[in-house]
């Protein structure tokens, strides 16, 4: 994906004139090395995934074809019944909508902000280590602290945000009640947790952009913003694609934030106004309906592949014009 | 990388009632202790693990047990409340990892009583003899749905009361003394009438109560039949008692009595500390929650619950079949739940005993709590527990309750009227398998 | 052995001052600092606030306006944490688990990333797409089958159950692939080949040094997430032999809402990470700068 591999490597000729038998053996070893070692290098990942990833996946697929209640030893094969029920289930489509809505609201501004922050940090600054370290703090702050803080921020009666809105004559917004308000509040939580994390990934990529390009651009009188647009973004395109894909996957699977925001309401609010797909899986899991929960998670898998694929194509096209 | 960490699992979990209705571990075998799995020789070293969801203050009791069982080593595991129960479900499902003795709380016990084959039958270890000591309803909670197996012995109960703020009552011109307050609301109707008077007095910054959810639960549990009938079939939609409780709860909202705060959320905690509501339904253990929020000594007081008695929470000790030493484990839970232990635990941990004989014991009956204006909490909570009649708690009672609570919240938030919310709640109940 | 010398030579001399700096006006620079300070402030606020609450009592949570300065109960609350859970053992386990995972992920991801980015082999693109696809598998439902697997391996209750499945992940492979395909000059590898390096030699002498900055970031992110991982350890470990997160989970237990104890514990569990950042931050994060490779 978007990696330009230099395929010449394998074609590098064996060195120097040597005696033929020795040469043949060396040649064979070399061939084996060049042809075989790539597989050896990627093998650990696939071995580990086969051991610990594939079995759960297959097992879940099997479970999704059954009426399967946790604790009970009776599992009735029902074919695609769970999937059929799912496609007719309002709550499933409601959760799909919420997931997409929260995903867009949180991911798009988050990535723009992260690129901008990385750009600001990608230059000599006083106390830059300090600034970079603080970027990661939201990601290591405990969930307990996050719950306490954000319920104080978004509280209806004593919340800081409502207190500030009060200056503009807006009173007592119940953030958790409405669809839009709850999605905004949850997106803010997600952005707060993950922007710095992604900024650091962008920053690592920006470090690899040759300085000469900036120097030349500066001599030509290009502004910081122009340099960001014309040099940085095209040069780190693979990383942008990478972050878009991982963030999309993360957003599609979001669970912690809506769960915490609703203080453990597994239905995502009384009217399911912020129940995401993960939360719906979770709800069915806690109701011990393992079969239905497995079916939802397989549908979710399909959605993630679709959404990540679309995002991948969009990112490639949008940035294509800049290169 | 971006593994999502979920810290809290949902509060209520349950299983299909009729899925496993035949007992796997046979009939009443009163005196066959030690016959099956426990083949340990005297003197052989045995390790018993005890899995709890908080500090039950059992340490001195373990020491006492070791005096008679010098070969037994006891290791205690403590986990967070919801994690503890969902982990137990995982362990029972996969057949490995469960402790020898597990604590199961009242909100979860209905999930396990349909599957007696996953636990040892305590009758096989002679514990049926304890039956006469117990509150009847508490004992019944530990019996499997098909009646064949004694699955758990009760520890504490969560007798119900109504906590209230004397300062706010005074401001509203209502009596503030706890006996007079109790006299205000013999019934839930009277409770709501009191609430109307409170609202009419327009006390600044305070509602009459936190929200209707816990009230609804209390009313349903006071009824002879709740969400399930005696065949463990869900009757929530047809049982007039449920509808009555629902209508009463809607009234709490309609009359403007509710502060719209769901229990156990941070804003609710703040409300306890700052007194933004004047009453809340209060099981014995909630006194600890109140104290934790530091509202100040005497800020909250305790009166009787309307409708006469009630219970929320309370725990059973059970022995998963995975354990290797059921005989010793059974002897341990016998000790942990006996009279002396329950008295000790009441004093140490405010765990309300489940043995009614103890309710006349001066240590319990005369106990007053200075933090709650010297309220005689021993007397208040035990009379609530005594007044309760046994009710069949179904396997998914927690999920049913959640469906109605969500409905009440939709009414509270103005998203639906009472009838729409009721219809949708029944629809949600209908989805419960 | 030109490959050996080539890698360090590729680093940007430290003395070079990017032209960008010279051209920036004072106002723009002030705006940069202002923005970064604001970001730092909001990033650190909740952690700071946990310290404030952890050093007080639950009443502080209800105060309006909220207290701004730490109170005097921090050490008493921390002592309560140590009384309640085996915190020292948990710390040791967490360091062991997170450390071995981070090192393994750094090394194995760089290896796989090198193969995907710079080596030609049949099925490469398919395998890379597969790798990315594995990330899309929803994590939630893996728990029960994975637990069954650990029961079979008899690893429940041990640290193997945490370390083994985490030794390498798709995120790391993808991350290193992306980085190396850009940042590692092909000429450098060709030069290494000419010098007679085997593929492994190339990896060791050329790729590893060039991968260092990104691997450091990856290692840090991996360490963080392993340290904070909660759900799986909670299922598979026992509270007798816990990691930090498992130990902390027992603090907020039972019927009681003791946020102070919870926050004191989590602050205690987070501070080691923050200390590592602060002490090694210059080496780890600052190292990105020095390690940058010319394209």
């Amino acid at each position: 994906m978007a990696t330009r591999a230099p395929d010449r490597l394998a074609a590098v000729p064996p060195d120097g004139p040597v005696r033929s038998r020795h040469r043949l053996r060396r040649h064979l070893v070399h061939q084996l090395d060049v042809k075989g070692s790539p597989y050896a290098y990627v093998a650990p990942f696939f071995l580990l995934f086969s051991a610990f990833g594939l079995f759960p996946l297959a097992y879940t697929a099997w479970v999704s074809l059954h009426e399967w209640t946790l604790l009970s030893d009776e599992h009735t094969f029902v074919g695609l019944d769970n999937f059929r029920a799912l496609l007719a289930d309002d709550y499933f489509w409601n959760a799909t909508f919420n997931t997409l809505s929260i995903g867009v609201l949180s991911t798009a501004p988050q990535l723009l902000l992260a690129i901008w922050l990385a750009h600001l940090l990608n230059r000599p600054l006083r106390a830059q280590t300090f600034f970079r370290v603080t970027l990661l703090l939201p990601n290591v702050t405990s969930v307990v602290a996050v719950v306490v803080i954000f319920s104080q921020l978004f509280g209806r009666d004593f919340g800081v945000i409502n207190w500030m809105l009060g200056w503009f004559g807006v009173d007592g917004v119940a953030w958790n009640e409405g669809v839009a308000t709850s999605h905004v509040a949850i997106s803010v939580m997600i952005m707060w947790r993950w922007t710095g994390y992604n900024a650091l990934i962008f920053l690592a990529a920006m470090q690899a952009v040759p300085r000469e390009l900036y120097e030349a651009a500066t001599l030509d009188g290009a502004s910081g913003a122009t340099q960001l647009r014309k040099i940085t973004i095209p040069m780190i395109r693979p990383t942008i694609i990478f972050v878009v894909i991982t963030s999309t996957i993360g957003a599609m699977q979001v669970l912690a934030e809506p769960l915490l925001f609703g203080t453990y309401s597994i239905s995502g609010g009384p009217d399911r106004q912020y129940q995401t797909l993960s939360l719906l899986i979770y709800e069915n899991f806690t109701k011990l309906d393992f079969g239905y929960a497995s079916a939802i998670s397989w549908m979710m898998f399909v959605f993630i592949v679709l959404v990540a694929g679309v995002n991948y194509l969009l990112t490639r096209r949008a940035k294509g014009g800049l290169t | 990388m971006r593994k999502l960490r979920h810290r809290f699992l949902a509060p209520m979990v349950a299983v299909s009632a009729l899925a496993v209705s035949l007992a796997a571990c046979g009939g009443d075998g009163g005196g066959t202790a030690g016959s099956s799995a426990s083949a340990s020789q005297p003197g052989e070293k045995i390790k018993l693990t005890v899995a709890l969801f908080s500090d039950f203050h059992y340490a001195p009791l373990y020491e006492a047990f070791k005096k008679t069982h010098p070969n037994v080593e006891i290791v205690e595991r403590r986990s967070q409340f919801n994690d503890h129960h969902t982990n137990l479900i995982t362990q029972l499902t996969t057949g490995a990892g469960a402790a020898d003795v597990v604590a199961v709380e009242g909100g979860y016990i209905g999930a396990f009583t349909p599957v007696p084959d996953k636990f040892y039958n305590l009758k096989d270890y002679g514990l049926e003899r304890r039956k006469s000591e117990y509150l009847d309803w508490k004992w019944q909670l530990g019996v499997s749905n098909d009646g064949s197996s004694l699955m758990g012995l009760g520890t504490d109960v969560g007798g119900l009361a109504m906590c209230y703020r004397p300062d706010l009552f005074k401001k509203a011109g209502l009596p503030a003394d706890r006996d007079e307050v109790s006299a205000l609301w013999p019934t839930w109707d009277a409770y709501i009438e009191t609430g109307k008077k409170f609202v009419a007095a327009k006390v600044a910054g305070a509602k009459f109560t936190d929200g209707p959810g816990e009230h609804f639960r209390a009313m349903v549990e006071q009824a002879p039949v709740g969400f399930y009938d005696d065949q463990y079939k869900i009757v929530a939609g047809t049982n007039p008692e449920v509808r009555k409780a629902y209508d009463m709860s809607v009234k709490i909202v309609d009359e403007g009595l509710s502060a719209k705060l769901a229990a156990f959320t941070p804003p609710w905690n703040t409300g306890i500390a700052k007194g933004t509501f004047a009453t809340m339904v209060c099981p014995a253990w909630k006194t600890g929650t109140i104290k934790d929020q530091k509202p100040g000594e005497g800020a909250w007081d305790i009166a009787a619950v309307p409708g006469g008695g009630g219970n929320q929470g309370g725990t059973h000790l059970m022995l998963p079949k995975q354990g290797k030493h059921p005989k010793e484990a059974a002897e341990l839970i016998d000790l942990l739940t006996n009279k002396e232990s329950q008295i000790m635990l009441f004093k140490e941990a405010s765990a309300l005993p489940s043995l009614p004989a103890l309710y006349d014991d001066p240590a319990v009956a005369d106990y007053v709590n200075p933090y709650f204006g010297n309220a005689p909490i021993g007397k208040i909570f035990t009379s609530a527990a005594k007044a309760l009649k046994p009710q069949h708690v179904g396997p998914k009672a927690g999920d049913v309750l959640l469906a109605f609570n969500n409905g009440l919240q939709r009414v509270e938030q103005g998203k639906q009227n009472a009838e729409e919310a009721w219809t949708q709640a029944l629809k949600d109940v209908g989805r419960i398998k | 052995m030109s490959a050996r010398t080539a890698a360090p030579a590729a680093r940007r001399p430290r003395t070079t001052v990017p032209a960008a700096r010279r051209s920036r006006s004072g106002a723009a620079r002030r705006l940069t600092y202002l923005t970064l300070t604001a970001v730092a402030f909001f990033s650190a606020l909740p952690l700071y606030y946990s310290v404030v609450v952890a050093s007080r009592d639950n009443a502080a949570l209800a105060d309006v306006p909220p207290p701004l300065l730490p109170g005097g109960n921090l050490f008493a609350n921390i002592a309560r944490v140590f009384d309640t859970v085996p915190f020292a053992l948990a710390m040791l386990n967490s360091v062991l688990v997170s450390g071995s995972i981070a090192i393994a992920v750094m090394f194995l991801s760089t290896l796989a990333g090198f193969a995907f980015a710079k080596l030609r082999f049949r099925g490469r693109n398919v395998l890379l797409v597969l790798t990315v696809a594995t990330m899309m598998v929803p994590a939630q439902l893996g728990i029960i089958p994975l637990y069954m697997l650990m029961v079979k391996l008899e690893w429940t209750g041990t640290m193997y159950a945490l370390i083994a499945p985490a030794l390498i992940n798709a995120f790391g492979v993808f991350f290193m692939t992306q980085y190396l395909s850009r940042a590692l000059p092909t000429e450098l590898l060709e030069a290494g080949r000419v010098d007679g390096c085997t593929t492994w030699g190339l990896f060791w002498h050329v790729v590893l040094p060039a991968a260092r900055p990104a691997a450091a970031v990856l290692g840090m992110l991996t360490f963080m997430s392993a340290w904070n991982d909660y759900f799986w350890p909670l299922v598979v470990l026992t509270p007798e032999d816990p990691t930090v997160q498992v130990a902390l989970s027992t603090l907020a237990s039972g019927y009681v809402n003791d946020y102070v104890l919870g926050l004191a514990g989590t602050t205690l569990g987070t501070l080691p990470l923050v200390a590592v950042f602060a002490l090694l931050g210059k080496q780890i994060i600052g190292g990105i700068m020095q390690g940058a490779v010319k394209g």
Side-chain angles (χ1 to χ4, degrees), chain C:
Chain C
M1 291 308 283
S2 67
R4 214 183 264 265
T5 47
R11 287 186 197 151
R12 190 173 50 77
R14 287 166 196 229
T15 46
T16 307
V17 177
R21 184 193 192 179
R22 273 178 258 129
S23 75
R24 291 179 69 72
S25 68
R29 199 181 310 159
R30 270 198 294 280
L31 189 69
T32 301
Y33 279 107
L34 202 68
T35 311
L36 291 175
T37 309
V39 169
F41 176 78
F42 284 112
S43 301
L45 194 62
L47 193 63
Y48 174 74
Y49 187 72
S50 344
V51 177
V52 171
V53 176
S55 63
R56 289 169 176 266
D57 56 39
N58 277 308
L61 282 171
D63 283 352
V64 178
L68 299 177
L69 293 174
N73 292 339
L74 185 61
F75 292 103
N77 288 331
I78 287 177
R80 273 206 299 156
V81 172
F82 274 91
D83 285 346
T84 319
V85 293
F87 201 77
L89 173 69
M91 208 69 126
L92 190 73
N93 281 336
S94 277
V95 169
L96 182 84
V97 168
S98 310
S100 24
I101 291 176
I103 290 168
V105 165
M106 281 160 77
F107 185 79
L108 293 175
S109 300
T110 307
L111 195 62
F114 166 48
F116 278 132
K118 294 292 172 182
L119 301 178
R120 192 175 68 167
F121 56 100
R122 202 182 290 273
R124 191 194 64 182
N125 286 333
V126 174
L127 288 178
L128 187 59
V129 170
L130 260 181
T131 306
V132 176
T134 62
M135 272 196 287
M136 303 177 189
V137 178
Q140 285 92 33
L141 276 191
I143 295 291
I144 289 211
L146 203 54
Y147 189 86
M148 289 163 56
L149 213 58
M150 293 301 162
V151 170
K152 280 270 178 289
L153 293 167
E154 299 187 354
W155 281 353
T156 53
T158 73
M159 298 302 143
Y160 295 119
L162 303 192
I163 296 173
L167 286 174
I168 184 171
N169 57 50
F171 180 94
V173 175
F174 193 21
F175 183 77
M176 291 313 296
T177 303
Q178 297 282 30
Y179 182 82
L180 288 174
S181 70
R182 278 277 151 171
L184 180 62
T186 303
E187 298 77 31
L188 223 56
L189 294 170
E190 282 168 357
R193 279 284 191 217
V194 171
D195 280 358
C197 278
T198 58
T199 313
W200 180 256
L202 284 179
F203 174 70
W204 198 255
H205 296 302
V206 183
V207 178
L208 270 188
R212 234 185 44 192
V217 173
L218 178 63
M220 190 170 62
L221 299 181
T222 308
F223 189 92
M224 262 165 47
S225 73
W227 184 276
N228 282 329
D229 196 10
Y230 176 81
F231 194 51
W232 173 239
L234 199 68
V235 173
V236 81
L237 294 184
T238 62
E240 300 116 81
D241 192 12
T243 58
V244 167
Q245 303 304 325
V246 175
L248 294 182
S249 77
T250 62
L251 289 179
S253 61
Y255 300 118
V256 177
N257 276 8
D258 194 342
Y259 278 109
V260 166
L261 191 62
L263 286 177
T266 47
T267 306
L268 207 57
T270 309
L271 286 182
L273 283 184
V274 178
V276 168
F277 290 173
L279 289 174
L280 302 179
K282 200 144 192 84
Q283 277 70 35
I284 297 176
I285 311 180
I288 303 170
M289 275 295 218
Q290 277 78 41
V293 175
K294 284 184 187 177

Side-chain angles (χ1 to χ4, degrees), chain A residues 24-93:
Chain A
L24 185 68
R25 220 177 77 196
R26 277 198 63 172
H27 181 73
L28 279 176
V29 170
H30 180 76
Q31 281 300 308
L32 190 70
D33 178 36
V34 168
K35 289 241 154 61
S37 57
Y39 295 105
Y41 294 178
V42 300
F45 173 76
F46 288 99
L47 285 178
L48 213 72
F49 180 74
S50 317
F52 298 111
L54 219 49
F55 171 66
L57 202 62
Y59 186 84
T60 309
W62 177 242
V63 171
S64 73
L65 302 176
H66 290 74
E67 170 145 2
W68 192 302
T69 309
L70 287 175
L71 281 183
S72 157
D73 295 326
E74 250 175 72
H75 312 302
T76 324
F77 186 83
V78 293
L80 293 175
D81 276 7
N82 281 326
F83 291 93
R84 242 173 255 134
L86 194 60
L87 293 177
D89 185 348
D90 297 349
Y91 294 165
F92 172 67
W93 295 111

Side-chain angles (χ1 to χ4, degrees), chain B residues 77-382:
Chain B
R77 294 179 187 170
R78 273 181 229 158
S79 317
Q80 195 267 341
F81 182 74
N82 295 312
D83 302 331
H84 166 83
H85 291 96
T86 34
N87 280 352
L88 179 59
I89 289 167
T90 304
Q91 289 154 352
L92 293 176
T93 300
T94 55
D100 294 287
V101 176
V102 297
V104 174
E105 202 264 352
Y108 283 90
I109 191 136
F112 299 105
T113 45
V115 287
D117 56 329
K118 305 263 187 223
F119 295 88
Y120 285 109
N121 184 352
L122 302 179
K123 288 178 187 170
D124 295 342
Y125 301 94
L127 292 178
E128 183 76 2
R129 69 180 152 78
R130 300 280 311 274
K131 186 173 183 195
S132 56
E133 296 174 43
Y134 272 89
L135 284 169
D136 192 29
W137 60 268
K138 181 74 180 176
W139 180 263
Q140 285 305 328
L141 282 177
V143 174
S144 67
N145 287 4
D146 57 9
S148 67
S149 174
L150 174 61
M151 299 173 67
L153 280 192
T155 57
D156 62 318
V157 294
L160 269 190
M162 186 66 78
C163 290
Y164 72 100
R165 302 268 310 201
D167 55 337
L168 296 175
F169 270 55
K170 263 181 219 148
K171 275 189 203 162
L174 293 167
D177 173 75
R178 77 181 65 86
D179 292 329
E180 290 172 55
V181 170
S182 299
L184 284 175
W185 51 56
T187 64
W188 288 101
D189 272 317
Y191 173 79
I192 289 175
E193 289 310 312
T194 312
K196 283 192 206 162
K197 280 181 208 151
F198 184 89
V199 170
K202 292 199 169 60
V203 179
K207 297 284 185 182
F208 184 58
T209 192
D210 46 357
E214 305 281 289
H215 305 65
F216 174 74
R217 180 177 176 183
M219 287 181 241
V220 170
E221 287 176 357
Q222 282 170 348
V225 175
F227 297 135
Y228 285 79
D229 67 9
D230 55 5
Q231 302 300 309
Y232 295 97
K233 261 181 66 180
I234 298 181
V235 292
T238 51
N239 182 358
E241 300 280 359
V242 174
R243 181 69 209 215
K244 214 173 98 192
Y246 178 83
D247 289 339
M248 197 72 85
S249 308
V250 168
K251 223 166 161 189
I252 291 177
V253 177
D254 287 348
E255 299 291 350
L257 311 187
S258 161
K260 302 186 186 180
L261 294 171
F264 303 109
T265 58
W268 180 78
N269 286 338
T270 311
I272 292 178
K274 300 180 72 70
T276 59
F277 48 87
T279 64
M280 65 172 163
V281 174
C282 224
W285 44 266
K286 232 184 223 175
T287 57
T289 314
I290 293 176
K291 258 198 240 172
D292 273 337
Q293 310 313 322
K294 306 260 156 101
E297 218 165 281
W300 286 90
D301 207 321
I302 302 167
V305 71
N311 174 72
Q312 262 181 35
T315 300
H316 282 77
L317 295 175
M318 302 167 75
L319 312 182
K321 267 271 172 67
Q322 296 164 22
K324 298 271 185 296
H325 310 290
K327 179 175 168 288
E328 288 77 8
E331 284 161 10
L332 177 61
I333 64 171
D334 191 17
L335 175 100
L336 293 175
T337 55
N338 72 20
K339 280 183 188 157
E340 293 73 30
S341 299
Q342 292 211 18
I343 289 275
M344 191 285 275
L345 293 169
F346 177 75
K347 288 181 189 157
E348 288 296 312
S350 311
L352 197 66
S354 47
L355 312 177
L358 301 181
Y359 296 172
D360 304 322
D361 189 298
V364 178
D366 299 344
Y367 183 76
V368 297
N369 192 324
Y371 201 85
F372 295 88
N374 284 323
I377 63 172
K379 217 177 82 201
I380 295 172
F381 289 124
T382 54

Side-chain angles (χ1 to χ4, degrees), chain A residues 153-193:
Chain A
L153 279 179
F154 286 106
R156 182 194 59 199
D157 300 332
F158 301 104
V160 175
I161 291 180
N162 277 355
W163 176 58
M164 291 197 294
L165 285 177
W167 301 339
F168 305 100
V170 182
D171 272 333
V173 178
W175 289 91
N176 58 338
E177 290 181 15
V179 175
T181 52
S182 62
H183 288 196
V184 166
I186 290 169
S187 300
V188 169
M189 280 172 83
I190 297 172
M191 282 177 63
W192 181 78
R193 262 179 94 78

